[in-house]
Amino acid sequence: MLVTVEGEKAIAIRGDPDHPNTAGVLCTKVSRYLERTYHPERLLHPMRRTGPKGSGQFERISWDQALTTIADRLQAEAARDPRAILPYSYAGTMGVVQGESMATRFFNRIGASKLDRTICASAGSVGYRYTIGAKIGTDTEQFENAKLIVIWGGNPVASNLHFWMRAQEAKRRGAVLVAIDPHRSLTAEKCQHHIALLPGTDSALALGMMHVLIRDDLLDHDYIARYTLGFEQLKQRAAEWHPDRVAQVCGIPVDQVELLAQLYGKTAQQGEPVAIRLNYGVQRCHGGGMAVRNVTCLPALVGAWRHAAGGVLLSSGDSFPKQQALLERPDIMPVDPARPARTINMSTIGDDLLRPGSEAFGPQISTVIVYNANPVAVAPQSAKVAEGFAREDLFTVVLEHFKTDTADYADILLPATTQLEHVDVHATYGHLYIVANNAAIAPLGESKPNSEIFRLLAARMGYTDPCFADTDDDLAAQAFDPNSDTAPGYDWSRVKQAGWIKLTMPPAPFAQGGFPTPSGKCEFYSETMQHDGLDPLPAYIPPYESAASAPDLAAEYPLAMISPPQRNFLNTSFVNVKSLRDTEGEPHLEIHPIDAGVRGIHHGDLVRAFNQRGAMQFKARVTDAARQGLVVAPSIWWKKLAPDQKNANELTNQRLTDMGRAPTFYDVLVNVEKANTAAASPD
Ligand SMILES: Nc1nc2c(c(=O)[nH]1)N[C@H]1C(S)=C(S)[C@@H](COP(=O)(O)OP(=O)(O)OC[C@H]3O[C@@H](n4cnc5c(=O)[nH]c(N)nc54)[C@H](O)[C@@H]3O)O[C@H]1N2
Ligand SMILES: Nc1nc2c(c(=O)[nH]1)N[C@H]1C(S)=C(S)[C@@H](COP(=O)(O)OP(=O)(O)OC[C@H]3O[C@@H](n4cnc5c(=O)[nH]c(N)nc54)[C@H](O)[C@@H]3O)O[C@H]1N2
Ligand SMILES: [Mo]
């Protein structure tokens, strides 16, 4: 991003036309970054809570008062049992410096509980790594050369615009685009083919593709023999997945299974690059890890990895040689055999805040420090999360730009800087550039970077370890390994000057195998999975909440609900930016005309979606963009900006995926009724 500054003020923001991946294009929401930065409700000084928890009533205090209050509390807790202290952070800024470096050092030094950061990507990461060894994939910039692009569980028009630019270019050059998505998303609308399967059934579709590829011999036998493991066992497993069975499980016509497999296998057999952009939509049901694994097996079957523009991209995260231990310093954690280190899963924060201390759990959570996150709005089963944060005996500190749903529960609220005001360096998960974040303007008001806040707290706690003296430039300099193959000679001062550097990666990373798995091959059969108690072969795991696995529940709540991101929001960031929120209108629910018809629901009606966990009101949008049996609740709204102070996480559950301990946001059954009948019903 290029920021124009006049005097002290940033007056314009645009994409850098020289950056190869983004080519000067900013997505809708980030193009409003100035509106967000100079928002009249920006937090500009520390505050202390004056009203009841959740009320959002605060009074101004000084930094000195704030830091003293927090350090006193942390010291008292640490003396009792530091594991009662919990950091909670995720995607607010994805920078290395303002994310997990100084903050994590601080919590390690205390001996606080660790946070298992599972809320977004951990199911797929595990499934992908079992299969090909690391989160390394096709270079985004190569996709424009592909002849077939399968966009599997992603909506890049809304959530990954710079990938979509490449996919569009490929289409202009004659490529076929296929979207696999229960919802006719903005992306699916623009693809030549759209397969609207039921949520959580992607594993079965991938098995059906394997079945057809093997049946019709659309395989690259040479690639399979040299670079894969377990083809014979896979063949037997795939034989069980006749397209008729697949069609039934996925709720789609059988010819769509055939079409997809034939397109994929035949295009590859013609020697053309076939590429899969695999995204997060497939990971948010019970079998989310397995779904990613199954899809990740496909390129090896047809030899797609031979081409720079073939293969699959889930995340490019492992291509970055991040020096995590150097940044986070787990070595400074105190070791106390009586108090083994504890890890809390961020995806079950609702239950865990409400859990009493016990032998098995360890101490009750007494103190939470939230930065870069908005758990009250984004974590599943929101009512429990809010109940947890409302605990009178819980001490909560929130570092924020705004008074979010979570900030309303803070005892102490601290103003943080935005990306315009601090220094950072970014690894990415969609492309292969290390990106510098230089400060454009001075911190607004009394706001401070996260790193500085944790540095000051460390000083108040009396920590004299030299690592707490590292500046933000020091941290950025430590971010990547200069002796690595992908960022050789990494030098922060140069990156800072240049703005970015591209990693050095071979154009077709697995053209000659070399998968970073235990066998060095693409593992159709995974001994590691067997060792971990999982099916070693690609399998289908139905959603927790589906007619197949919970018929009684499905009788009561017959509609599957997904809540994918809206185009104008970034998770809950930007929801309070008026121009963006006005574009999205108010929380709405897409419902198929047949499902609406039987419920007497018309376009624009106020409806109530409900299940065993809660209820929420939406404006109905009657549209066949939502397939029959599915409702779509674009997300993630600030609860307090919704008419009934709720968002879709009122209805989601805290059950975890098959691998990676991740949430199952899209594994949810609900029923829907007109809201005016709601007054009479019990909840
Ligand atoms: N505008 C915008 N951009 C964003 C974000 C944002 O909030 N707003 N969030 C960012 C973050 S943190 C992430 S993780 C990514 C997420 O972005 P994506 O990777 O695109 O993932 P999702 O948005 O979760 O879902 C994408 C699509 O998957 C579909 N889907 C839902 N369930 C299933 C299923 O079971 N199978 C299949 N095949 N499809 C399914 C949804 O209908 C949706 O269209 O986007 C990033 N970019
Ligand atoms: N129902 C449903 N729930 C979901 C999802 C979904 O698709 N559906 N998506 C899930 C996914 S993929 C993700 S990644 C999570 C995201 O969940 P979160 O990581 O909580 O992301 P945000 O909601 O954007 O909240 C981030 C907060 O950090 C603040 N912030 C930004 N930069 C900084 C900074 O430099 N310092 C400090 N102190 N604060 C900063 C922002 O103001 C914002 O309030 O939500 C998950 N929840
Ligand atoms: Mo995410």
Side-chain angles (χ1 to χ4, degrees), residues 350-665:
D351 280 347
D352 288 336
L353 283 178
L354 295 170
R355 212 182 292 282
S358 69
E359 190 78 40
F361 181 62
Q364 185 183 37
I365 297 168
S366 71
T367 306
V368 186
I369 301 191
V370 180
Y371 54 103
N372 302 339
N374 186 7
V376 170
V378 307
Q381 206 173 1
S382 196
K384 289 254 181 150
V385 183
E387 196 187 330
F389 275 102
R391 263 176 48 201
E392 276 307 324
D393 59 340
L394 185 75
F395 180 73
T396 303
V397 179
V398 178
L399 284 62
E400 253 301 348
H401 301 152
F402 294 106
K403 226 193 264 176
T404 61
D405 289 321
T406 305
D408 284 348
Y409 289 87
D411 293 282
I412 302 286
L413 186 49
L414 300 176
T417 46
T418 69
Q419 285 188 263
L420 298 192
E421 301 148 64
H422 59 225
V423 170
D424 215 326
V425 64
H426 288 250
T428 70
Y429 57 95
H431 61 67
L432 296 173
Y433 294 82
I434 290 173
V435 186
N437 176 167
N438 297 311
I441 52 169
L444 296 195
E446 294 181 3
S447 66
K448 293 184 192 298
N450 294 341
S451 53
E452 178 63 9
I453 296 174
F454 287 105
R455 230 178 257 123
L456 291 169
L457 278 173
R460 292 283 164 136
M461 300 285 283
Y463 299 155
T464 51
D465 316 53
C467 69
F468 291 114
D470 282 347
T471 63
D472 288 357
D473 282 315
D474 293 336
L475 292 166
Q478 294 159 21
F480 303 104
D481 180 2
N483 299 312
S484 60
D485 293 339
T486 52
Y490 169 74
D491 173 353
W492 167 238
S493 59
R494 272 182 27 224
V495 179
K496 208 176 161 160
Q497 282 274 312
W500 66 82
I501 50 163
K502 190 171 187 182
L503 299 181
T504 46
M505 290 280 293
F510 306 125
Q512 272 127 30
F515 292 96
T517 53
S519 64
K521 298 183 168 187
C522 171
E523 299 200 350
F524 298 145
Y525 184 94
S526 163
E527 246 170 51
T528 318
M529 290 182 75
Q530 187 163 46
H531 179 264
D532 294 346
L534 298 162
D535 192 329
L537 285 168
Y540 170 61
I541 298 167
Y544 288 115
E545 301 200 353
S546 64
S549 43
D552 292 347
L553 193 72
E556 209 173 334
Y557 307 113
L559 300 169
M561 185 192 87
I562 58 172
S563 50
Q566 323 233 45
R567 186 179 199 165
N568 292 282
F569 303 156
L570 173 63
N571 299 312
T572 66
S573 301
F574 297 92
V575 178
N576 62 328
V577 175
K578 196 171 176 306
S579 66
L580 294 169
R581 190 171 70 254
D582 286 350
T583 315
E584 295 294 351
E586 58 188 300
H588 62 263
L589 190 72
E590 294 187 19
I591 183 166
H592 190 274
I594 293 177
D595 292 324
V598 296
R599 291 169 174 80
I601 292 167
H602 298 101
H603 198 75
D605 280 354
L606 197 59
V607 297
R608 175 177 175 273
F610 59 100
N611 64 16
Q612 69 278 31
R613 290 174 291 272
M616 163 170 187
Q617 288 190 358
F618 297 91
K619 250 309 166 43
R621 284 195 190 160
V622 178
T623 164
D624 66 359
R627 55 160 292 158
Q628 217 184 324
L630 177 81
V631 290
V632 182
S635 288
I636 311 170
W637 279 83
W638 279 29
K639 293 166 59 156
K640 61 173 151 184
L641 293 178
D644 64 351
Q645 319 263 293
K646 288 175 182 171
N647 73 13
N649 282 320
E650 203 68 21
L651 300 160
T652 56
N653 75 75
Q654 293 182 74
R655 292 172 93 167
L656 301 176
T657 48
D658 55 340
M659 45 186 102
R661 307 165 305 281
T664 54
F665 287 117

Side-chain angles (χ1 to χ4, degrees), residues 90 120 284 429 571:
Y90 202 69
C120 174
R284 311 220 187 281
Y429 57 95
N571 299 312

Side-chain angles (χ1 to χ4, degrees), residues 110-160:
I110 299 183
S113 283
K114 294 185 206 172
L115 186 71
D116 199 3
R117 293 187 169 78
T118 56
I119 205 158
C120 174
S122 60
S125 297
V126 175
Y128 200 76
R129 287 195 184 117
Y130 278 138
T131 310
I132 64 167
K135 286 197 287 183
I136 295 172
T138 313
D139 183 348
T140 313
E141 287 169 58
Q142 290 289 342
F143 272 81
E144 60 197 30
N145 301 317
K147 274 288 166 294
L148 172 71
I149 300 179
V150 182
I151 299 175
W152 204 319
N155 181 13
V157 171
S159 54
N160 187 183

Side-chain angles (χ1 to χ4, degrees), residues 210-237:
M210 294 175 192
H211 180 103
V212 175
L213 294 172
I214 295 169
R215 183 197 69 196
D216 295 356
D217 195 22
L218 297 169
L219 302 168
D220 184 333
H221 292 284
D222 178 59
Y223 194 92
I224 291 170
R226 287 173 194 250
Y227 308 128
T228 72
L229 186 75
F231 178 67
E232 285 309 317
Q233 289 106 313
L234 179 75
K235 206 168 156 180
Q236 284 175 27
R237 175 59 58 87

